[in-house]
């Protein structure tokens, strides 16, 4: 097996620590060709679709990509901003703000963002970090609830990348934070701020991204973690069990997915006389196609068409200050033991040791 060529090693350089915020990804543009490239990469991941590869290849290339790409492109166009894809814009801003918060708390770390599918590609970002001298890397998925279809796919990509590296950095991974106090508080603050302006709804619907039901029976903890997030948020908001409910959206294909499904549930609520619903998507930390188009547009239409009177979508956490602080707390928890906080005296000692290393390397070089 051959390994990638390592970047030139510079004696006397101080090792760096990096945090990589990784989100799912997005097309480069709201066009059929860009969406097709994105869907091909996304839906080719065996973590995402657990169907025998040969069968799935024909379904993907002969049915899904030719017909779904154009339809999806129109949906992306409906939510695209002047800055670009909302998911990418929010993720980039979150990484920048997280770096600022960690810096204010005394941490000397590099914070960047990457996408599992699309750009900036995770392997490219990891190569850039190595070239920059980062020897300690923390992977922070943008998914609060763990799933083999999302979080594990990020881990796969990291392991696959470093399987081809000779000099592997020290690695840490954040598996989940679905029940982290700061995350729950940030969600609560977001909901409460909306209610302070618009009043409370008849029902709060917490819509999470769906996954096939078989993943639950095979041991994926996602379903349980979604419900725990919902229970904790409801408790923080002082809601009774009849004032909120959990649903799952974005069903794909004919197989049974986690239920209840969001769209049919909203229609049923309207038909039962529920006048106002507020919908929040706690599993998404950045607004994206699934929240801005599927929920704020399509789900709203479904509810109102079925007789509902008032529909409110509560935006994702995005760059909310409480969420950035929560991200900083979650990150700090996983940085423990790494020398990211260095006093002036410690820094001076490190610089001295680095200079000694450089001098020794130069002396040995002169002798050869």
């Amino acid at each position: 097996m051959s390994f990638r060529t390592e970047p030139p090693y510079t004696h006397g350089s101080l090792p760096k620590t990096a945090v990589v915020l990784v989100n799912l990804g997005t097309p480069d543009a709201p066009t059929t060709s860009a969406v097709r490239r994105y869907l091909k990469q996304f839906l080719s991941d065996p973590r995402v679709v657990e169907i025998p590869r040969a069968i799935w290849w024909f379904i993907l290339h002969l049915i899904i990509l030719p017909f779904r790409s154009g339809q999806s492109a129109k949906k992306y166009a409906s939510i695209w901003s002047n800055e670009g894809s909302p998911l990418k814009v929010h993720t980039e801003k979150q990484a920048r703000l997280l770096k600022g918060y960690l810096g204010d708390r005394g941490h000397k770390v590099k914070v960047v963002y990457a996408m599992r599918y699309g750009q900036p590609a995770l392997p490219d970002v990891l190569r850039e970090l190595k070239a920059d001298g980062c020897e300690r890397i923390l992977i922070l998925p943008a998914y609060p609830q763990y799933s083999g279809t999302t979080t594990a796919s990020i881990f796969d990509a990291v392991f696959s990348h470093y399987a081809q590296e000779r000099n592997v950095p020290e690695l840490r991974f954040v598996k989940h934070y679905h029940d982290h106090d700061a995350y729950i508080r940030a969600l609560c603050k977001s909901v409460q701020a909306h209610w302070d302006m618009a009043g409370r709804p008849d029902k709060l619907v917490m819509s999470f991204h769906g996954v096939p039901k078989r993943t639950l029976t095979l041991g994926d903890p996602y379903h349980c973690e979604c419900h725990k997030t919902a229970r904790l948020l409801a408790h923080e908001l002082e809601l009774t069990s009849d004032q909120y409910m959990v649903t799952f959206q974005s069903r794909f294909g004919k197989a049974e997915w986690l239920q209840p499904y969001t769209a049919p549930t909203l229609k049923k609520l309207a038909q039962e006389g529920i006048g106002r619903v507020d919908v929040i998507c706690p599993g998404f930390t950045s607004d994206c196609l699934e929240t801005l188009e599927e929920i704020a547009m399509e789900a709203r239409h479904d509810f109102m068409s079925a007789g509902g009177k008032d529909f409110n979508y509560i935006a994702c956490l995005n760059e909310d200050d409480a969420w950035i602080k929560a991200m900083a707390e979650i990150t700090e928890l996983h940085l423990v033991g790494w020398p990211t906080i260095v006093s002036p005296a410690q820094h001076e000692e490190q610089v001295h040791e680095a200079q000694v290393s450089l001098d020794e390397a130069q002396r040995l070089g002169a002798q050869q």
Side-chain angles (χ1 to χ4, degrees), residues 47-286:
R47 285 284 191 179
V48 176
V49 180
E50 296 183 52
I51 293 177
R53 294 294 92 189
I55 298 174
W56 180 241
W57 189 95
F58 282 100
I59 296 174
L60 177 61
H61 290 269
L62 300 182
I63 300 175
I64 295 177
L65 293 180
F67 296 100
R68 189 179 178 91
S69 300
Q71 297 171 357
S72 295
K74 292 178 181 179
K75 293 183 177 183
Y76 274 105
S78 71
I79 57 101
W80 214 260
S81 72
N82 293 332
E83 296 178 273
S85 165
L87 180 141
K88 185 173 182 178
V89 170
H90 289 306
T91 306
E92 182 177 12
K93 290 180 179 179
Q94 288 171 348
R96 185 169 64 249
L97 292 170
L98 176 59
K99 177 177 174 58
Y101 266 94
L102 292 174
D104 289 343
R105 296 184 186 213
H107 294 279
K108 188 175 180 59
V109 295
K110 185 180 182 71
V111 181
V112 296
Y113 77 100
M115 298 296 174
R116 175 63 183 90
Y117 316 102
Q119 302 297 323
L122 179 55
D124 293 341
V125 171
L126 296 177
R127 278 191 287 271
E128 291 171 3
L129 292 176
K130 168 166 279 195
D132 194 37
C134 294
E135 296 186 8
R136 295 176 294 268
I137 296 178
L138 171 65
I139 303 295
L140 173 62
Y143 320 126
Q145 296 78 26
Y146 172 91
S147 172
T149 63
T150 53
T151 316
S153 181
I154 290 176
F155 297 175
D156 285 349
V158 174
F159 295 141
S160 176
H161 173 78
Y162 286 117
Q164 302 175 61
E165 298 281 342
R166 187 178 301 278
N167 185 14
V168 179
E170 186 175 356
L171 296 169
R172 290 183 183 177
F173 299 85
V174 179
K175 181 178 179 180
H176 49 193
Y177 41 91
H178 62 289
D179 56 356
H180 192 283
D181 288 345
Y183 161 66
I184 299 299
R185 288 197 302 270
L187 288 173
C188 179
K189 178 177 175 292
S190 174
V191 175
Q192 195 59 61
H194 177 78
W195 288 352
D196 287 344
M197 293 187 298
R200 292 198 169 211
D202 299 317
K203 185 83 71 172
L204 175 65
V205 176
M206 304 182 195
S207 179
F208 293 84
H209 198 290
V211 295
K213 183 180 179 180
R214 67 186 297 269
T215 62
L216 171 61
T217 60
L218 291 173
D220 194 307
Y222 178 74
H223 178 265
C224 299
E225 293 191 2
C226 289
H227 277 277
K228 185 171 185 181
T229 294
R231 290 196 304 273
L232 292 173
L233 177 56
H235 176 75
E236 197 77 10
L237 291 168
E238 300 181 349
L239 297 178
T240 58
S241 59
D242 62 334
Q243 292 178 311
Y244 78 97
M245 64 185 310
V246 174
T247 62
F248 296 91
Q249 64 183 85
S250 309
R251 181 187 177 196
F252 179 76
K254 296 182 179 180
E256 183 180 359
W257 282 37
L258 297 180
Q259 296 195 40
Y261 302 137
T262 298
T265 298
L266 289 170
K267 291 180 182 179
K268 183 179 179 182
L269 289 174
Q271 293 166 353
E272 291 175 348
I274 299 297
R276 172 183 163 183
V277 297
D278 286 0
V279 181
I280 186 172
C281 301
F284 297 89
T285 53
S286 296

Side-chain angles (χ1 to χ4, degrees), residues 317-359:
L317 294 172
N318 295 325
E319 296 84 57
D320 185 271
D321 187 64
W323 168 231
I324 305 302
K325 289 181 179 178
M327 291 177 69
E329 286 189 30
I330 294 165
T331 301
E332 280 188 313
L333 182 65
H334 292 81
L335 289 175
V336 171
W338 279 355
T340 60
I341 299 180
V342 180
S343 68
Q346 290 173 319
H347 179 70
E348 184 177 346
E349 182 179 352
Q350 289 180 355
V351 171
H352 173 71
E353 291 177 353
Q355 185 62 47
V356 170
S357 176
L358 176 60
D359 292 343

